[in-house]
Amino acid sequence: MYYTDQDKFISLLEHGVNKLKEGFTDLPEVKGNVYSHDKAATIIGQLAEKMHENYPYFHPQYAGQMLKPPTDIAQIAYYLSMFINPNNHALDGGIASSQLEKEAVAEIAAMFGFDTHLGHLTSGGTIANLEALWIARNLHPEKTILVSDQAHYTHERMCAVINTPIEVVPSDNTGVMDVNALEERIKRGDIGTVIVTLGTTGLGNADPLDKIVALKEQYGFRIHVDSAYGGYFTLSSKLDENVRAAYDHIKNVDSIVVDPHKHGLQPYGCGCVLFSDPSVGKFYKHDSPYTYFSSEQMHLGEITLECSRAGASACALWATQQLYPLVKQGEFAAMLDNCLEAAQKLADWVKQHPKLKLVIEPKLDIVNFVIDAPSASVSSQHAQAVFEMAESKHLYLALNTLNKSLMPEFEKGYWDQDKVIAIRMCLIKSDHSAWMDNITDILDASIANLST
Ligand SMILES: *Cc1c(COP(=O)(O)O)cnc(C)c1O
């Protein structure tokens, strides 16, 4: 499997457990759970077998959705903290892990260039975005929220939850928010917040935040950045010029979401929301004065919508950021650059392939391409067939349904239906680049199998 050094992993965990025990030696001993080892071994064995029924997410030949194994130190830290099982809802429930959460979140805020911040971890990007939109609504109760048609579907759902109007702004033929259309809509008034996606989930492109910040200065509205998937790429030194310009403006926005459980090497259950103005904390707890929330003594339970939350997530994230600090030119940034390199290699291969058409130049580490065919329906069938053929050869892909506006180079006659199914690949693992020849060989063999 993926863990090349199981002994090292287990010895680190043992080291941690022994250290942890040292802190509690002055308590009278208590017995652990009593259970049958044999019975437990049978159950665990059964579980392991049931887990065979998964795609091998840990393997570089899995290049479908945004899945990868959490890094070793995150797993060890998470598991170690299970002996305490802290709850970061209330300080009482997770004294140490609350402090670690504040430290880890402050490092993320610093990565984005926020001078001040209020923020915390969440169980994921959905809840993190919900909180950001809920604050947006509290600040502008009557106003509309705007989002591009390439944004994550969670925004429309969450706006329904908080009962707030949301409108969709069209994107251009590279899948980023059309700034002219945005400005036209803003001029008509009543816009409270614009959601900007840095790293769209389908195409991996970045809305032009630099231009949207300029509109904010002119018209006045809030900006929420949803970078659940793409946020960490701000550490990369290899972004293309336009994308870099967008990322360089993150420091000027009102709120940000990033998912440590996507590109941050964490187990699921770790999202993060940040606000640049700490005074928004007042919306979480009505009877507290504003100053309370900018003090160092703020209490996580009073600035989160969720109550119980895994303190283990904070322990894992903190430990990971100690080993891989969130700095440019660091080891973590190099992992992200590897992903960009993998996407570029794949895109270059697609471009020279006679049967494939690249949808857009990859900006982050997602690549979409369609199979050349006389019509959109045949192209879609072929994508499905390649998906299945590749799977039989242990290469795991994803599919993405695209609007025809993204493929302006196809002639009118091609469009016997409005949409086309593309193959989508997320090269989110840092070893995807080293495996690219292997990946393209399997792709090529899968495409060669298509009946013409
Ligand atoms: C993944 C994703 C979400 C949803 O986050 P979860 O952690 O899956 O809840 C929201 N927005 C974007 C851009 C995403 O990529």
Side-chain angles (χ1 to χ4, degrees):
M1 247 182 68
Y2 207 59
Y3 308 120
T4 47
D5 200 339
Q6 204 160 320
D7 290 345
K8 188 167 155 191
F9 188 98
I10 289 169
S11 97
L12 276 170
L13 181 57
E14 229 173 3
H15 168 65
V17 173
N18 291 336
K19 270 272 172 215
L20 179 62
K21 281 183 181 163
E22 284 173 15
F24 299 95
T25 46
D26 49 356
L27 283 164
E29 246 178 59
V30 282
K31 268 211 153 54
N33 297 327
V34 180
Y35 56 89
S36 147
H37 179 275
D38 287 351
K39 199 167 173 189
T42 307
I43 296 165
I44 291 297
Q46 284 169 343
L47 174 63
E49 270 171 33
K50 285 182 186 293
M51 297 296 280
H52 293 165
E53 207 162 306
N54 272 306
Y55 293 127
Y57 308 120
F58 53 86
H59 199 282
Q61 282 180 203
Y62 181 86
Q65 309 292 347
M66 294 169 186
L67 290 151
K68 62 176 178 180
T71 196
D72 287 15
I73 193 150
Q75 295 190 39
I76 294 165
Y78 197 101
Y79 192 68
L80 173 62
S81 67
M82 286 291 91
F83 288 88
I84 301 283
N85 194 25
N87 183 342
N88 276 15
H89 172 230
L91 202 52
D92 272 8
I95 299 170
S97 50
S98 293
Q99 182 55 35
L100 298 179
E101 176 166 333
K102 287 182 205 168
E103 288 178 26
V105 168
E107 286 167 9
I108 294 175
M111 170 178 81
F112 287 124
F114 269 17
D115 295 329
T116 56
H117 75 277
L118 184 82
H120 60 86
L121 301 181
T122 63
S123 59
T126 299
I127 298 297
N129 275 303
L130 170 63
E131 288 199 21
L133 299 181
W134 175 71
I135 292 291
R137 197 209 51 176
N138 277 316
L139 286 165
H140 298 295
E142 306 296 326
K143 293 189 172 172
T144 297
I145 292 175
L146 295 181
V147 71
S148 108
D149 60 14
Q150 291 294 316
H152 199 280
Y153 64 83
T154 191
H155 299 292
E156 288 185 69
R157 268 194 184 170
M158 290 303 141
C159 281
V161 171
I162 59 173
N163 196 18
T164 295
I166 181 166
E167 281 178 37
V168 173
V169 177
S171 55
D172 67 12
N173 62 16
T174 66
V176 303
M177 190 183 272
D178 180 333
V179 184
N180 294 328
L182 174 66
E183 185 168 9
E184 285 312 306
R185 179 57 193 89
I186 288 166
K187 278 184 184 162
R188 295 195 353 247
D190 273 348
I191 301 305
T193 297
V194 175
I195 299 170
V196 176
T197 308
L198 292 187
T200 52
T201 316
L203 293 168
N205 209 338
D207 287 337
L209 179 60
D210 46 331
K211 300 196 179 92
I212 299 169
V213 165
L215 290 178
K216 169 185 162 137
E217 281 155 13
Q218 192 178 346
Y219 296 99
F221 50 84
R222 300 178 79 257
I223 297 180
H224 168 60
V225 164
D226 180 5
S227 61
Y229 145 67
Y232 287 105
F233 281 103
T234 193
L235 295 176
S236 171
S237 43
K238 295 194 167 152
L239 296 178
D240 104 356
E241 210 181 321
N242 292 337
V243 176
R244 183 75 258 169
Y247 275 82
D248 283 344
H249 282 78
I250 298 183
K251 58 179 185 294
N252 303 317
V253 308
D254 299 284
S255 53
I256 308 173
V257 163
V258 65
D259 262 353
H261 70 204
K262 279 190 179 143
H263 253 300
L265 312 171
Q266 300 306 297
Y268 284 116
C270 195
C272 178
V273 61
L274 294 164
F275 298 95
S276 59
D277 176 2
S279 77
V280 300
K282 65 177 179 272
F283 293 112
Y284 288 87
K285 194 167 190 278
H286 291 275
D287 54 2
S288 282
Y290 145 53
T291 46
Y292 180 81
F293 295 101
S294 51
S295 93
E296 281 302 301
Q297 298 313 310
M298 69 152 190
H299 166 197
L300 290 169
E302 285 161 326
I303 54 150
T304 56
L305 282 185
E306 288 173 280
C307 292
S308 295
R309 266 188 315 113
S313 293
C315 296
L317 185 63
W318 179 86
T320 305
Q321 290 177 193
Q322 295 293 302
L323 189 62
Y324 303 116
L326 302 177
V327 293
K328 287 185 176 169
Q329 320 290 345
E331 222 176 317
F332 178 63
M335 293 181 202
L336 298 168
D337 285 344
N338 282 344
C339 297
L340 296 180
E341 186 183 276
Q344 201 53 60
K345 278 188 190 171
L346 178 61
D348 290 344
W349 180 84
V350 166
K351 280 188 279 189
Q352 57 74 51
H353 196 290
K355 283 196 174 159
L356 302 179
K357 279 227 178 336
L358 188 67
V359 178
I360 60 162
E361 279 294 332
K363 304 295 175 169
L364 300 176
D365 60 5
I366 298 174
V367 179
N368 283 261
F369 52 92
V370 296
I371 312 216
D372 210 1
S375 67
S377 59
V378 174
S379 189
S380 300
Q381 284 158 20
H382 282 181
Q384 186 74 43
V386 168
F387 174 91
E388 284 162 24
M389 183 55 68
E391 180 178 335
S392 74
K393 299 175 191 293
H394 294 294
L395 175 67
Y396 304 89
L397 310 169
L399 297 172
N400 191 11
T401 304
L402 301 176
N403 282 331
K404 76 190 210 187
S405 60
L406 285 164
M407 305 295 302
E409 67 274 34
F410 282 136
E411 309 277 316
K412 237 184 163 168
Y414 171 86
W415 294 105
D416 60 339
Q417 55 186 43
D418 277 350
K419 294 176 190 261
V420 64
I421 299 177
I423 291 178
R424 168 170 167 269
M425 294 176 67
C426 292
L427 304 162
I428 188 169
K429 290 189 267 281
S430 60
D431 44 6
H432 270 139
S433 179
W435 280 69
M436 195 45 67
D437 284 348
N438 187 280
I439 289 170
T440 50
D441 282 353
I442 302 176
L443 263 179
D444 206 27
S446 306
I447 293 159
N449 256 306
L450 288 171
S451 56
T452 42

